[in-house]
């Protein structure tokens, strides 16, 4: 972004796109304000009962920002392109702002990554659901899955992952059926096939979907032999969530976890298809290269 103007036009394009409207009343008719005393990028609604002024940052987490829009765009770039998230210390160094500012920038950006309006739509197809303890499992005896969210005090993340690559996650106070049911029903299309472990909390929830398959989690069963059901996808998401959140949990406590969770899920949902190249040795000893997009 060579100038502030470039950054502003970039954000107008990214935030408003082709359908531009007044953020106060939603009207499609407005005009740019011109004049030497007017700051660039200021618009006024043409609706007689509204007539309010706004810029591209109005009613966004960038609202009333004192920072350059260029700094915002650079910060967004840093957060969105770092594969594991970026600390405010590193960000402050790169952007040339103090750490407190970098911290605020990071949080505002994470807030924008949270799909609170449900724009991403419902998960569909084959969808795996599982919960995970943030900050590591409570004392775990092999083969016994006890204390599911009760008495451990540790925050729990409920995670749903569709086989087509989309995922949702949120923090829940406990792993009881009545807590998880409305969330899962909100996330997942009822025509989907739900796959969970055998936890009894999922019994009733499963009835809301076209089919419900289960996997015996605690017996280290990777796929159900009869149905071939597995929850490897959601376990992959869980592993990412765990790795990213453990540090956050120990450093910051649970207050900020939901925001970091939003960032992790955004990253999962927007990851570029990566091409994996595997080399295989055939029986004749010659090597073939198999490329697949995952
Ligand atoms: Zn308006």
């Amino acid at each position: 972004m060579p100038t502030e103007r470039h950054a502003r036009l970039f954000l107008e394009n990214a935030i408003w796109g082709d359908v531009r409207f007044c953020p106060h009343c939603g009207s499609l008719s407005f005009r740019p304000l011109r004049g030497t005393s007017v700051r660039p990028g200021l618009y006024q609604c043409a609706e007689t009962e509204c007539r309010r002024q706004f810029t591209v940052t109005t009613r966004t987490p960038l609202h009333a920002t004192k920072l350059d829009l260029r700094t915002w765009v650079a910060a967004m770039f840093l957060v969105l392109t770092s594969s594991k998230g970026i600390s405010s210390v590193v960000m402050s160094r790169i952007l040339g702002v103090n750490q407190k500012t970098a911290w605020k920038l990071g949080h505002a950006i994470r807030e924008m990554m949270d799909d609170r309006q449900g724009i991403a739509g419902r998960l569909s197809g084959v969808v795996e659901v599982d919960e995970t303890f943030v900050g590591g499992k409570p004392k775990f005896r092999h083969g016994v899955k006890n204390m599911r969210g009760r008495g451990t005090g540790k925050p729990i993340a409920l995670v749903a992952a569709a086989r087509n690559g989309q995922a949702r996650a949120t923090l829940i106070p406990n792993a009881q059926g009545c807590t998880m049911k409305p969330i899962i029903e909100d996330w997942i299309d009822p025509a989907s096939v739900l796959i969970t472990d055998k936890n009894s909390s999922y019994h009733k929830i499963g009835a809301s979907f076209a089919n419900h398959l289960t996997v015996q989690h605690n017996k280290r069963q990777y796929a159900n032999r009869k149905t071939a059901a597995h929850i490897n996808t959601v376990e992959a998401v869980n592993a990412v969530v765990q790795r990213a959140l453990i540090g956050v949990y120990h450093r910051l406590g649970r207050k900020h976890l939901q925001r970091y969770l939003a960032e992790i899920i955004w990253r999962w949902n927007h990851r570029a298809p990566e091409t994996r190249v595997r080399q295989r040795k055939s029986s004749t000893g010659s090597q073939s290269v198999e490329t697949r997009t995952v």
Side-chain angles (χ1 to χ4, degrees):
M1 297 294 146
T3 67
E4 266 300 277
R5 185 174 167 271
H6 285 86
R8 180 173 55 80
L9 295 177
F10 172 80
L11 285 173
E12 286 185 0
N13 222 12
I15 294 173
W16 289 339
D18 295 332
V19 188
R20 303 190 169 196
F21 54 87
C22 164
H24 300 293
C25 71
S27 167
L28 293 169
S29 73
F30 58 85
R31 61 185 182 85
L33 288 170
R34 294 184 211 283
T36 43
S37 61
V38 175
R39 69 197 155 109
L42 193 63
Y43 298 84
Q44 186 173 35
C45 183
E47 224 57 52
T48 40
E49 54 274 31
C50 180
R51 305 282 294 162
R52 292 170 77 182
Q53 298 182 350
F54 59 90
T55 69
V56 67
T57 61
T58 300
R59 295 204 167 193
T60 73
L62 283 69
H63 191 73
T65 180
K66 289 189 179 73
L67 288 165
D68 279 4
L69 294 181
R70 268 187 291 180
T71 307
W72 276 98
V73 175
M76 287 171 190
F77 178 82
L78 290 175
V79 172
L80 300 192
T81 55
S82 65
S83 62
K84 288 178 184 152
I86 184 165
S87 77
S88 56
V89 177
V90 175
M91 199 148 96
S92 73
R93 230 177 277 148
I94 298 173
L95 295 177
V97 298
N98 66 43
Q99 199 205 328
K100 208 177 155 193
T101 304
W103 163 267
K104 283 185 184 162
L105 276 165
H107 275 297
I109 292 164
R110 252 165 240 123
E111 215 169 300
M112 290 187 271
M113 291 162 99
D114 194 357
D115 181 32
R116 250 167 299 175
Q117 287 138 353
I119 295 165
R122 277 173 150 183
L123 300 175
S124 59
V126 178
V127 187
E128 305 167 18
V129 174
D130 198 15
E131 348 79 70
T132 184
F133 286 95
V134 177
K137 283 195 181 118
K139 287 244 176 336
F140 184 81
R141 279 181 294 145
H142 189 75
V144 181
K145 193 150 194 183
N146 56 357
M147 310 259 287
R148 282 185 84 119
R150 274 170 288 129
T152 64
K154 282 194 172 164
I156 307 165
L158 178 65
V159 183
R163 295 267 170 91
N164 66 11
Q166 291 293 297
R168 304 281 179 273
T170 189
L171 291 176
I172 50 175
N174 58 61
Q176 287 162 21
C178 55
T179 306
M180 302 196 290
K181 195 169 186 274
I183 303 169
I184 292 171
E185 286 176 351
D186 186 46
W187 280 345
I188 306 169
D189 187 282
S192 308
V193 176
L194 185 75
I195 306 184
T196 66
D197 63 24
K198 282 196 187 317
N199 180 1
S200 58
S201 303
Y202 291 116
H203 281 338
K204 273 191 180 162
I205 300 172
S208 308
F209 297 92
N211 198 359
H212 180 206
L213 304 175
T214 56
V215 173
Q216 194 115 20
H217 219 0
N218 50 6
K219 283 191 179 162
R220 312 203 91 214
Q221 180 190 32
Y222 293 100
N224 187 314
R225 272 200 214 109
K226 273 188 221 142
T227 60
H230 69 80
I231 51 171
N232 296 347
T233 320
V234 74
E235 299 222 317
V237 183
N238 272 347
V240 176
V241 167
Q242 278 299 350
R243 268 201 306 275
L245 285 190
I246 280 176
V248 174
Y249 179 54
H250 290 305
R251 260 182 309 133
L252 308 172
R254 65 177 69 206
K255 205 173 115 199
H256 300 288
L257 285 180
Q258 186 69 48
R259 279 195 192 137
Y260 282 95
L261 194 56
E263 177 185 357
I264 295 159
I265 295 301
W266 189 95
R267 193 160 282 135
W268 179 273
N269 289 339
H270 293 80
R271 70 201 189 287
E274 73 186 68
T275 301
R276 273 192 198 153
V277 176
R278 278 195 310 194
Q279 290 215 321
R280 268 201 188 153
K281 255 192 174 153
S282 72
S283 53
T284 55
S286 66
Q287 291 205 329
S288 68
V289 176
E290 185 194 341
T291 310
R292 64 190 180 116
T293 305
V294 292

